[in-house]
Amino acid sequence: MTKRVLFKLFVEEKNVGKAINIMTLAGITGFFLHKYRGLSPDKFKNLSKEELEKSINFKFNQKNLLVTFHPVTLENATAKEQFSELLKALDELKDTNIIFTKANSDTDGRIINQMIDQFVLEKENAISFISMGQLRYLSSLQFVDVVLGNSSSGLLEVPSFKKATINIGDRQKGRIKAKSVIDCKPNKHDILQAIKRVYSKDFQKLLKNIKN
């Protein structure tokens, strides 16, 4: 029985040929090349909490969430309903600050962004960004407790910071996930239960030993 394993290998451009030869000799097949345009680990220096707060003009609270939610391609009709359930859950939280990163600018994305704007307008504990930029986004992962939504970032980057991800709905269905990722249905009750689980002693203990 053939076992399929998904992994990412970061290689300097000058060493790509060597890496391909090594993988080929090892019998590894089905790989593809993708040029990484982000910051390399040796060049990334995260912002301190004070630097980040000044940069985004927003203070962190006792509890802090980052929300990034996009319409699901095959579920266009439910984008508004799903995000409405998320906002209803967020509205019940106490002593919690919320950072939103906005959706794409397609039709359903604009609907979500309008809902974000209205929520932020009515709440002093929330702020939104069209884009935080890579440095501020990755820096913020150090100081939030959980990333909520359906972005691939919740599966790819967030576990490396030993932070929780609440993955809402089916947008990332079938993808490999770390144990720090909590899957939940797009309804208020399930989202609140997932948030409650994040702050439980058992889950906080799990996060300390998480591996991405």
Side-chain angles (χ1 to χ4, degrees), residues 2-199:
T2 303
K3 186 175 182 180
R4 299 178 64 185
V5 178
L6 174 66
F7 67 93
K8 290 187 175 183
L9 179 66
F10 290 86
V11 181
E12 291 184 57
E13 194 168 356
K14 64 182 180 181
N15 293 323
V16 169
K18 293 180 182 178
I20 291 175
N21 288 337
I22 292 171
M23 288 189 288
T24 302
L25 290 172
I28 298 173
T29 60
F31 57 83
F32 63 94
L33 302 178
H34 176 72
K35 189 171 184 179
Y36 177 66
R37 299 181 182 277
L39 293 172
S40 62
D42 60 327
K43 292 182 179 179
F44 174 69
K45 184 179 183 301
N46 58 279
L47 298 175
S48 67
K49 187 175 183 179
E50 292 74 20
E51 290 172 330
L52 180 59
E53 287 179 331
K54 184 177 180 179
S55 178
I56 65 176
N57 192 29
F58 191 67
K59 292 286 186 180
F60 288 96
N61 204 333
Q62 181 178 343
K63 297 179 180 179
N64 302 281
L65 313 179
L66 193 154
V67 178
T68 174
F69 191 93
H70 301 283
V72 180
T73 305
L74 299 179
E75 299 181 32
N76 289 333
T78 65
K80 182 177 180 179
E81 289 84 352
Q82 288 184 3
F83 196 68
S84 178
E85 290 294 304
L86 172 55
L87 293 181
K88 289 176 185 176
L90 297 178
D91 196 36
E92 294 202 2
L93 303 179
K94 306 296 182 183
D95 300 316
T96 303
N97 280 4
I98 304 162
I99 299 174
F100 290 93
T101 62
K102 291 190 174 182
N104 300 324
S105 57
D106 55 20
T107 301
D108 286 313
R110 287 194 294 271
I111 292 173
I112 289 173
N113 292 339
Q114 289 169 2
M115 295 170 73
I116 291 173
D117 289 339
Q118 187 62 37
F119 186 91
V120 171
L121 185 65
E122 298 173 356
K123 308 290 181 182
E124 294 184 355
N125 65 324
I127 192 171
S128 67
F129 296 90
I130 295 174
S131 173
M132 294 186 74
Q134 188 179 39
L135 178 59
R136 294 195 300 185
Y137 178 78
L138 293 178
S139 295
S140 71
L141 295 182
Q142 304 169 99
F143 309 116
V144 299
D145 306 308
V146 56
V147 174
L148 296 91
N150 57 12
S151 171
S152 60
S153 175
L155 278 59
L156 299 177
E157 287 115 352
V158 177
S160 296
F161 287 80
K162 298 186 182 299
K163 300 290 182 172
T165 296
I166 295 177
N167 179 52
I168 302 171
D170 294 333
R171 188 167 185 259
Q172 304 299 333
K173 186 176 181 179
R175 301 189 67 171
I176 296 173
K177 304 180 181 90
K179 292 182 179 180
S180 57
V181 178
I182 301 172
D183 290 324
C184 79
K185 295 179 181 179
N187 63 68
K188 173 185 168 182
H189 176 268
D190 281 21
I191 294 169
L192 285 173
Q193 288 300 308
I195 293 173
K196 182 178 179 179
R197 182 182 170 193
V198 166
Y199 291 104

